[in-house]
Amino acid sequence: MGSYSELLRTSGVARIIAAQLTARFPSGMLSLAFLLHVEQQTGSYGAAGLVLAATSIGQAVAGPLTSRLMGRLGMRPVLIATLAVCVTAIVAIALLPLTVPLYMAIGLVAGLANPPVQPAVRTIYPKMVNSRQLTPLFSLDASAQEIIWVVGPVVTTFVATQIGTVWAILLAAVLMVVGGIWFISSPELGRVRIPRSKRRFGAVLGRPPVMLATIVGFLLIGATAAIEAGVVAVFGHGGAEAGIVLAIFAVGSLAGGLFLGHVPIGPWSTARRMFIVFAGTALAAGLMDFWWLSITLFIAGIGIAPALAVLFAIVSASVKFSDTAEAYGWVGTGQLIGAALGSALAGFLIDGSGPQGAFWAAAALAFLGFLVAVLGKRWHPDLRGRDASPIPDTEPVPAQPS
């Protein structure tokens, strides 16, 4: 853990991690807050699901687009504009009496304007630390984001049930503004400029490691979304058991990220981590018992943050600096689509065969992620003893007349 202490003592690292986590914290709040609020206003969970779907579609479409724009217009202008539009849309959903189509339209706008904080910060990281510290920093980042998914839903549920759903949404909006301003005002955003990419939009997906990271991330997050749906289906919304099991699942991910963060990244690294997720999930599917699910999902969680950290590192090491933000945008879009697919697949299987079906779906998605990682080993960068920083952008130097 000493190396993490050294990392956090590096100038600006602790501050920018805290700022980006605050800016992204509403990600762990808004889905549940929108669900509870729209259901309360319309009396229909189906209508609430449509609003969430529209928001997710907006986020998935916007990811690579807004990330690419940061190379053209600069990080701060894009982040300021998207923050202003997104917060306005979120407040409108909280305060205005809307029909379901209008809720969906504004939800789509909120998704499209979701500030690209995650691609921005992962583009900045290689410029803040030396090559030896970069992989542990990706691991620390992947582990720390578990706070968003553990604390966010708990805070939202408490505020929505004890004070009101409007206040739950407004609290998320306030955190987005505070965190966004804190992140945007960070000196690193002024010191780091993303060069304008000369490649056409989407060309970065032609890089095999980027495509590998996008597909594996899609399957990994799909598996976690199915697990979450399955846990809620087993224990219901009334008791604390579902929240405790999901918290243990996240603690497993946090522990795995911290303890495996220094393991050198080789061609088999992603496959090994995905196998941990698969093994724990497959074991979980055997028995719908509180203690069994707590133990097995802790095991499954151990592979999640380390797998995400490896995906971030192989993307960073495989693209030019000018393409990093767009590459992370595509990876993020893959994860969003995976979350939607995993939740939907789990929902159908829960209706058809009970909560256990969600765990079998999660195990199947995790196994596919493992299989893709094995088959894609030839395209997986070997970063053992190698710098994970992006490939520098170089400009041709005109020859001087003799």
Side-chain angles (χ1 to χ4, degrees):
M1 300 300 289
S3 58
Y4 287 118
S5 299
E6 177 192 346
L7 189 60
L8 291 172
R9 286 196 299 269
T10 302
S11 177
V13 169
R15 173 177 39 75
I16 206 159
I17 288 177
Q20 63 97 6
L21 282 177
T22 306
R24 292 170 53 210
F25 195 82
S27 300
M29 301 177 65
L30 283 172
S31 292
L32 183 56
F34 282 177
L35 177 74
L36 295 171
H37 181 71
V38 176
E39 189 277 331
Q40 188 179 86
Q41 298 302 309
T42 64
S44 169
Y45 277 107
L50 289 173
V51 176
L52 292 183
T55 306
S56 297
I57 289 169
Q59 290 175 331
V61 170
L65 289 172
T66 52
S67 300
R68 173 88 170 195
L69 280 174
M70 288 194 293
R72 291 177 174 270
L73 305 176
M75 283 189 279
R76 278 184 172 143
V78 173
L79 287 165
I80 291 169
T82 52
L83 177 64
V85 173
C86 188
V87 168
T88 301
I90 289 169
V91 171
I93 287 176
L95 299 181
L96 299 181
L98 303 170
T99 61
V100 173
L102 283 175
Y103 273 126
M104 290 176 64
I106 297 175
L108 179 66
V109 170
L112 287 169
N114 189 49
V117 173
Q118 193 172 20
V121 75
R122 287 178 183 148
T123 300
I124 291 169
Y125 280 158
K127 302 297 183 182
M128 295 184 66
V129 298
N130 60 45
S131 58
R132 178 179 57 83
Q133 294 176 308
L134 184 55
T135 298
L137 178 54
F138 280 132
S139 184
L140 181 62
D141 178 274
S143 301
Q145 72 178 5
E146 292 298 332
I147 296 169
I148 296 170
W149 309 113
V150 175
V151 180
V154 174
V155 171
T156 300
T157 302
F158 176 81
V159 175
T161 55
Q162 301 302 313
I163 305 175
T165 57
V166 169
W167 291 104
I169 296 174
L170 292 179
L171 175 60
V174 169
L175 287 171
M176 183 175 283
V177 170
V178 171
I181 292 172
W182 188 10
F183 181 69
I184 291 165
S185 63
S186 299
E188 290 77 14
L189 267 76
R191 291 199 291 263
V192 177
R193 188 185 69 83
I194 304 172
R196 185 167 177 162
S197 177
K198 297 177 177 61
R199 296 155 65 87
R200 61 178 175 78
F201 178 70
V204 72
L205 284 172
R207 288 276 192 180
V210 177
M211 181 60 77
L212 179 65
T214 302
I215 295 172
V216 173
F218 160 79
L219 294 166
L220 172 61
I221 301 303
T224 62
I227 288 170
E228 289 165 2
V231 170
V232 171
V234 170
F235 299 107
H237 296 274
E241 292 95 338
I244 293 170
V245 171
L246 290 175
I248 291 170
F249 181 40
V251 168
S253 176
L254 176 63
L258 293 177
F259 286 106
L260 296 178
H262 298 279
V263 176
I265 295 173
W268 286 100
S269 292
T270 300
R272 289 192 186 105
R273 288 154 175 76
M274 286 304 301
F275 186 79
I276 295 172
V277 179
F278 161 68
T281 306
L283 287 171
L287 185 63
M288 301 294 100
D289 169 78
F290 174 81
W291 289 109
W292 179 253
L293 288 176
S294 297
I295 294 166
T296 54
L297 291 182
F298 180 85
I299 294 170
I302 289 172
I304 292 173
L308 289 171
V310 171
L311 299 182
F312 301 151
I314 66 172
V315 169
S316 174
S318 304
V319 299
K320 289 187 175 182
F321 183 61
S322 57
D323 291 323
T324 50
E326 185 189 339
Y328 285 126
W330 284 111
V331 173
T333 289
Q335 292 175 6
L336 282 166
I337 296 171
L341 175 70
S343 298
L345 183 60
F348 283 119
L349 289 172
I350 290 167
D351 288 342
S353 56
Q356 204 162 20
F359 290 93
W360 288 121
L365 289 168
F367 181 75
L368 282 175
F370 163 71
L371 196 60
V372 169
V374 170
L375 296 175
K377 180 180 73 72
R378 57 188 282 194
W379 298 300
H380 194 293
D382 187 349
L383 301 181
R384 290 172 294 187
R386 196 187 129 198
D387 189 353
S389 298
I391 302 165
D393 287 90
T394 56
E395 296 284 353
V397 179
Q400 298 293 325
S402 55

